Amino acid sequence: MGKTAFIMLLRKSLQTKTGTDICRLWRIHQALYCFDYDLEESKEIKDMLLECFISVKYIKKEEGRRFLSSLFIWNVNFIKMIHETIKNQLQGLQKSLMVYIAEIYFRAWKKASGKILETIENSCIQDFMHHGIHLPRRSPVHSRVREVLSYFHHQKKVRQGVEEMLYRLYKPILWRGLKARNSVVRSNAALLFIEAFPIRDPNFNAIEMDSEIQKQFEELYSLLEDPYPMVRSTGILGVCKITSKYWEMMPPTILIDLLKKVTGELAFDTSSADVRCSVFKANPLSPTIGYFETNPGHCISSSVIIQCLPIILDNKLSHPLLEQLLPALKYSLHDNSEKVRVAFVDLLLKVKAVRAAKFWKICPMEHILARLESDSRPVSRRLVNLIFNSFLPVNQPEEVWCERCVTLVQMNHAAARKFYQYAHEHTACTNIAKLIHVIRHCLNACIRKAVLECHESHEEREKENVLDKTLSVNDVASMAGLLEIIVILWKSIHRSMENNKEARVYTINKFASVLPEYLKVFKDDRCKIPLFMLMSFMPASTVPAFSCGVISTLRNQEEEAADKRYCTLLDCLCSWGQVGHILELICDWLPEEQPQSKSNSASKRKVKIHDTRPVKPELALVYIEYLLTHPKNRQCLLSAPQKKLNHLLKALEMSKADLESILQLPGGKPHNFSEAMALRAFSLHCRLSVHLQHQFCSQGKVYLSILEDTGFWLENKVLSFIQDQEEEYLKLHKVVYQQIIQTYLMVCKDVVMVGLGDYKFQIQLLQWSLGIMQTVKGFFYVSLLLGILKEVTGSSLKQTPDSGEEVATLFDMVQKVFQKMLECMAWSFRKQPEEGLRLLYSVQSPLHEFIMTVQSWHMDTPVHRGMLSTVIAASVVEISHQLRKISNIEELTLPEGLSDLPPFSRCLIGIIMKSPDVIRSFLDELKVCVTSDDIEGIVCLSAVTRIILVINKGKQKSSKMKDVAATVHRKLKTFMEITLEEDSTESIAYYKLDIISQEEQHTFASTVVHLNAKFLYESSSRTLGALLNS
């Protein structure tokens, strides 16, 4: 009866979603022992019981875990089956379930005895220990195994016998792991050693215990001196964790020595930023140690970042010693690694939080402000948090806020700007608004003081407060700094002010009443910019005297010394909705297309008004560029009437005629713009046409067609001019035509990137790119063309083509441009090695981005295969060319690494080797090229062998390597009996890459035949054979 009920409940519990049957099954779990494990009829029960171990229902439920732990006692052989089942499922289980898995093992171990206990310890727990040490760090199972072991480490504090068991099971493997040659094994062993510390047998006598603990302290020292950075980082974590936990029990000499080693040496480890970072905070990339909460059944996930020195700070007994040691670390704030600086500031925040010491005694305020001035956002935000209460003490009177603000401005002007940029993140918006008005009061007081200063008696001056003694309107730097702080604070709470009408009106009215006086008193240019920006925050009607004179001020600017600081006035006009006035002024200054001549009678009747005011086209271009560069102003400009914008675009287009005259006439003077102005106007014309296309895209491709017309103008006027002129003449105009081409390509790249260019535009753009490469000497455009190829291949997924032919044509053009580009680069390396090397360094990043884009979005397509075959061709031809040039067989050596390849191949293969996916695709294409006889001959196949050898020596390994090597090996064997005549005709089908001339090919081929053909074959065969047998 019991056996039948057991089977029924077991089967039902696996089929239903509720846990009721699991509870019932636990109540009759003793019935399992009625089954004979060795009988055939028990096979079905075994399968169902093993299925329970992969059921989340059983694992999560208390009765389920009790039942699962009881199954270990059924039979010794069943324990091994259970363990293998659990291990196979670890990768798929959530990390949160690991504590339950560990609990199952622990309960089974606690209840077991005899042979069963021995099996659980040796086959299960020790097996987990072995995997915890030897599994690769990136294995998803590794962290789960660590969670299981962490449970046992914690239980040694509360359960008798656990400590002795851990000591006995770790002894054969842990100490050996700490001395292993493999650095990852040492690092894994170090993590377990630190978490389980101290590993000891409680039955030891005092002498044995001291000896064992001393041995483990020596292991700690060894970890800190390990040659591998990850092991040293783990050692730092161990020292901090152990010293914090056992501070009172550790000998003072060892304690001080360990901490001096960490703070005095490893904090300045020049070989690894990760090690330096680990002193202050554990490297996020390295694993962390699981800590347990007060509930012994649960542990914190290992993804939690464990701090190192801050761990020690949690122990108050450490504060006196750390107060002496930490000042030596102050220069870590200036570390060249951002993550080290971030970790150090986090340490200072911890010191401040636990009140271990004054943070400014560890790192002086001058250092903190210097970093705040120039550092990145992650560091700056933390620094603001660190010093916030020092310079904006919200719990003190508002006068103190102002005093601290003035002090900060005078200590470091740039740091003050950065501080108040992030201040709103640490206090309420009302406090920021109060500070704005406090600073306003301070400025008003300074102005009153200046007015009354000559009338005050000496006794009255003695009653001045602190600010009166330190601040004056004559201190221009401080005045400008305070005005800038007001602007920064106002911007930071702009949205909140918009939602609080009462506060906004109050602030505007207060500043409207004082800004005219500010303009009279603060006449220095450093003060005018923030004053103009304050005006832009307010309606024009609140500052009528100022708003009426803005256009006049802009008009009267001197063209030669175009003061960009006055461009801030453009912000005012845009925020007041007066962009039309700016457009009118700009169009008045820019040249207009000459109207067609009319009859004399009509011209006589027309009234002409002569404007005596000078035109300032250069200043007009400055204003246009400022409007287009700033997003808010650009939106205001594009919201102007379309007719006015078209007129502006037409005026800028006049720059083309000037550029033509500059190029075609020796010493010729342009009609409208100077050379620099014409280039600037051309750039603005291209950019404005793109913005107008985006703004008025609903009207079709009107403005995109204007950009296309510019492309045809480039082709018909500029490129044809370059093609027809002699080289000496071109040198005179090199800057002009290069900048025209760069500007146009850059704008077109952005057009494709934002999705405004359709397939036809992209195809036409690639055709122009081919024309540029065929016409223009020099390679200033290569990086831009690679960027265009990347955007074209990436944007093709976002558009719906009119037909499949468009897509095929586009990708065919991509392959042609890429192939031609590699030909140009190869030619550069051959003819001008120094320029070729500079070109190489400049294109590595865009070339990598293009290859990765094609790999990610177009894998196994014609464009993907074409791109890879082109890279293969370029590399094989260059390496073959190098092999053919060798006249002495002793010079034929195999490459030890990537650096031994020729420069161009080194660049291409180096990019391929950065990604495992690209390597796999590259090897597949290489195999196809060799199999299809696109690559043939001993020399070319030897070049392929060198490529395979270099890739195999890289960090990224591929399972396809031996398959490709076998294919090349078979091909080499077919040339064993090759004759000298046949050898002279060996080739690579990729001579479409015009890298070396046919005459050079013939010369080098005839040389290599007699000298190294046989040696190349033997060397390559030997290399491939060794690779296949490895």
Side-chain angles (χ1 to χ4, degrees), residues 707-708 711-712 714 741 744-753 757-773 784-785 787-789 791-792 810 813 817:
L707 192 62
E708 289 176 340
F712 288 115
L714 175 69
I741 293 171
Y744 187 72
L745 291 178
M746 193 176 300
V747 171
C748 290
K749 171 177 168 283
D750 294 340
V751 168
V752 178
M753 181 174 65
D758 58 8
Y759 279 102
K760 291 180 181 178
F761 176 81
Q762 294 177 27
I763 292 170
Q764 187 62 59
L765 174 59
L766 293 177
Q767 288 174 346
W768 289 325
S769 301
L770 274 177
I772 290 170
M773 287 189 287
L784 282 171
L785 289 186
I788 289 172
L789 291 179
E791 299 302 339
V792 166
L810 177 68
M813 288 299 302
V817 171

Side-chain angles (χ1 to χ4, degrees), residues 333-350:
L333 185 62
H334 306 286
D335 197 282
N336 57 11
S337 171
E338 181 187 284
K339 61 185 177 183
V340 177
R341 299 195 300 273
V342 167
F344 180 71
V345 180
D346 284 338
L347 173 65
L348 293 179
L349 287 167
K350 179 73 173 182

Side-chain angles (χ1 to χ4, degrees), residues 605-618:
R605 289 195 301 270
K606 187 174 181 181
V607 178
K608 296 182 179 179
I609 300 174
H610 181 62
D611 191 352
T612 59
R613 290 177 297 185
V615 294
K616 301 175 181 177
E618 186 175 356

Side-chain angles (χ1 to χ4, degrees), residues 367-429:
H367 289 249
I368 293 174
L369 294 182
R371 280 321 318 172
L372 179 59
E373 172 187 350
S374 59
D375 220 322
S376 58
R377 180 180 173 85
V379 181
S380 296
R381 292 181 68 183
R382 286 169 168 82
L383 287 173
V384 170
N385 186 19
L386 180 68
I387 64 175
F388 183 80
N389 291 332
S390 301
F391 292 103
L392 188 53
V394 292
N395 296 326
Q396 295 191 33
E398 294 171 8
E399 290 76 12
V400 179
W401 302 4
C402 190
E403 290 176 8
R404 301 289 176 87
C405 178
V406 172
T407 302
L408 182 56
V409 168
Q410 292 177 343
M411 287 178 69
N412 191 315
H413 186 186
R417 296 176 63 178
K418 190 75 76 74
F419 175 84
Y420 289 106
Q421 181 182 341
Y422 297 114
H424 69 282
E425 298 178 3
H426 302 280
T427 188
C429 291

Side-chain angles (χ1 to χ4, degrees), residues 591 617 654-679 733 736:
M654 298 295 292
S655 60
K656 292 184 191 176
D658 287 342
L659 291 172
E660 283 183 45
S661 63
I662 292 170
L663 289 172
Q664 294 173 358
L665 301 176
K669 293 184 178 180
H671 299 293
N672 305 302
F673 298 105
S674 65
E675 180 181 306
M677 288 169 56
L679 289 169
H733 302 291
V736 178

